[in-house]
Amino acid sequence: MGEFIATIFGIKSRLLVYFENCIQFPCQKGMIFFKLLSLLPLSLLYILSDGVYLLGYHVLKYRQKVILTNIQEAFPEKTAQEHHRIAKAFFRNLTDSFAEIIKAYSMSKEEFNRRVQIIHSEIVTSHIEKGEVLIGMTGHFFNWEWHLLQMMANIDNRVDVVYTKVSNAFFEKLMMIIRTRFGGQMVEKDSFQRDYLRKRNQPRMIVLAADQRPGNRDIRYWREFMGRDTAFFEGAEKLAKRFNHPVLYAHVSKPKRGHYVFRYELMDSPPFSDKLEHSITDQFIELLENNIREQPEIYLWSHNRWKWKKAE
């Protein structure tokens, strides 16, 4: 989140440098600032996010070219007016997510329960209670941070979330504090393999945002996605098939501002011996694409997902 906010304004602000220095010295002023900010009502934080929206989208025009290109390529059947409507709605969801992440620093479980609904969470608990490891696959929909917190609050400490470390030290520490408020384990992707082998027999759910863009050297599988050739990681599929783990998809919807619904559905389960290669990844992509088409403005269009081009 820290790098994202800094990028929006195109600068490394003095405030951000100050927060970085807070980590290097016995100083908690930066953490205290965000904790106090989180105590404001969400309605007031949304007023702040409205200001960031106006500045970021209409003045600084943050990543507008990437956002509009991605939306245009994904929905060629829509008009230019519709493309801009989706882009504006997306950007408002993006800035709202900053307010919601700040609020998550102090938001109670009771308020999370009012705002974040998880349907069919019993799929997870039933597999864990049977002593199984479950793979959870999802995409970058708003607000994935609230999803993780609500999930951890309801499934106790039996959740591992694979994530990419934030390079800014202050915001890495801040996000770790927020993400682990209700338990659970954040596992940095570079250490995931070692962590998995160490805890191989511990019943839990392993959560992967499986729509991330692989590094150029990591590309193993290309598939059409939202009308374009797209590179995908297949780590979730390989893990599930090698160790016989059932796989779940989390469908996302946003009925209104500050409220989210996550519906779990079992994608596949062992045995996988008769399944075709890429079967889990293909199913995930189809579910993800359908999810995006239902409510495109809640998907992360500012990410340069199609940076790599498939060789002819």
Side-chain angles (χ1 to χ4, degrees):
M1 183 185 87
E3 289 180 294
F4 213 8
I5 294 173
T7 304
I8 283 182
F9 295 99
I11 59 172
K12 195 164 191 177
S13 67
R14 292 180 183 178
L15 184 61
L16 186 55
V17 172
Y18 169 74
F19 286 148
E20 288 176 329
N21 291 336
C22 278
I23 294 300
Q24 298 169 10
F25 299 99
C27 169
Q28 292 298 315
K29 291 181 181 178
M31 295 296 172
I32 293 171
F33 169 78
F34 276 101
K35 185 62 177 286
L36 291 174
L37 193 61
S38 76
L39 297 175
L40 292 174
L42 190 56
S43 58
L44 290 182
L45 291 174
Y46 279 146
I47 293 174
L48 295 177
S49 77
D50 288 342
V52 176
Y53 161 76
L54 292 171
L55 180 63
Y57 188 82
H58 293 284
V59 179
L60 298 176
K61 300 184 185 300
Y62 167 72
R63 291 201 177 184
Q64 270 199 25
K65 185 176 180 180
V66 171
I67 294 166
L68 279 170
T69 298
N70 285 341
I71 292 170
Q72 288 162 357
E73 293 284 344
F75 302 100
E77 75 283 2
K78 294 185 182 296
T79 65
Q81 184 178 8
E82 289 173 313
H83 293 150
H84 281 277
R85 183 194 62 78
I86 293 171
K88 288 179 181 179
F90 154 75
F91 207 89
R92 190 171 286 280
N93 282 320
L94 174 67
T95 56
D96 275 1
S97 74
F98 298 152
E100 291 165 359
I101 290 169
I102 291 169
K103 186 62 183 176
Y105 200 156
S106 62
M107 200 159 85
S108 67
K109 287 185 179 182
E110 290 73 24
E111 187 165 1
F112 268 110
N113 285 334
R114 289 197 304 271
R115 293 183 174 276
V116 183
Q117 182 181 9
I118 296 180
I119 300 173
H120 301 317
S121 61
E122 69 276 3
I123 295 175
V124 178
T125 53
S126 64
H127 281 279
I128 290 175
E129 287 167 2
K130 288 189 290 186
E132 297 178 347
V133 176
L134 184 72
I135 307 295
M137 299 178 71
T138 189
H140 280 87
F141 293 95
F142 299 118
N143 187 329
W144 60 85
E145 298 291 351
W146 275 18
H147 179 203
L148 296 180
L149 281 162
Q150 179 70 337
M151 182 172 52
M152 289 176 175
N154 285 277
I155 312 176
D156 301 322
N157 294 317
R158 299 174 293 179
V159 179
D160 285 356
V161 178
V162 183
Y163 81 107
T164 300
K165 189 175 182 179
V166 177
S167 61
N168 178 275
F170 174 81
F171 283 106
E172 168 67 14
K173 182 174 181 179
L174 176 66
M175 291 306 298
M176 191 61 64
I177 290 171
I178 293 173
R179 286 166 166 169
T180 58
R181 280 188 59 210
F182 301 134
Q185 178 75 33
M186 302 299 298
V187 182
E188 210 280 321
K189 67 176 184 178
D190 291 336
S191 61
F192 171 69
Q193 185 174 6
R194 182 172 62 253
D195 184 85
Y196 172 81
L197 291 174
R198 181 173 59 85
K199 300 187 297 188
R200 180 177 167 183
N201 296 319
Q202 291 184 18
R204 65 198 188 282
M205 180 162 74
I206 299 171
V207 181
L208 298 161
D211 61 338
Q212 294 190 57
R213 184 188 68 214
N216 211 3
R217 293 179 297 177
D218 301 320
I219 296 174
R220 300 290 185 272
Y221 183 50
W222 288 89
R223 155 77 191 255
E224 185 176 304
F225 168 60
M226 300 305 296
R228 304 164 79 176
D229 286 329
T230 309
F232 279 90
F233 280 114
E234 286 203 287
E237 174 157 349
K238 294 183 185 302
L239 188 67
K241 288 184 174 179
R242 181 175 180 183
F243 296 104
N244 289 314
H245 299 320
V247 185
L248 171 150
Y249 177 76
H251 176 280
V252 187
S253 60
K254 184 178 182 179
K256 61 181 179 178
R257 196 179 201 184
H259 292 264
Y260 298 90
V261 178
F262 300 91
R263 188 184 71 246
Y264 292 171
E265 53 187 285
L266 195 63
M267 278 174 48
D268 210 342
S269 57
F272 299 110
S273 56
D274 60 340
K275 301 297 173 66
L276 297 174
E277 188 178 12
H278 314 303
S279 61
I280 292 174
T281 306
D282 284 341
Q283 189 175 357
F284 166 72
I285 294 168
E286 290 172 9
L287 290 168
L288 178 67
E289 184 165 314
N290 290 337
N291 201 163
I292 292 170
R293 292 189 182 281
E294 288 175 14
Q295 204 171 1
E297 65 273 15
I298 65 172
Y299 190 65
L300 187 63
W301 296 109
S302 56
H303 176 50
N304 194 1
R305 182 64 179 85
W306 290 274
K307 179 178 180 179
W308 310 127
K309 305 299 180 185
K310 185 178 181 181
E312 297 295 334

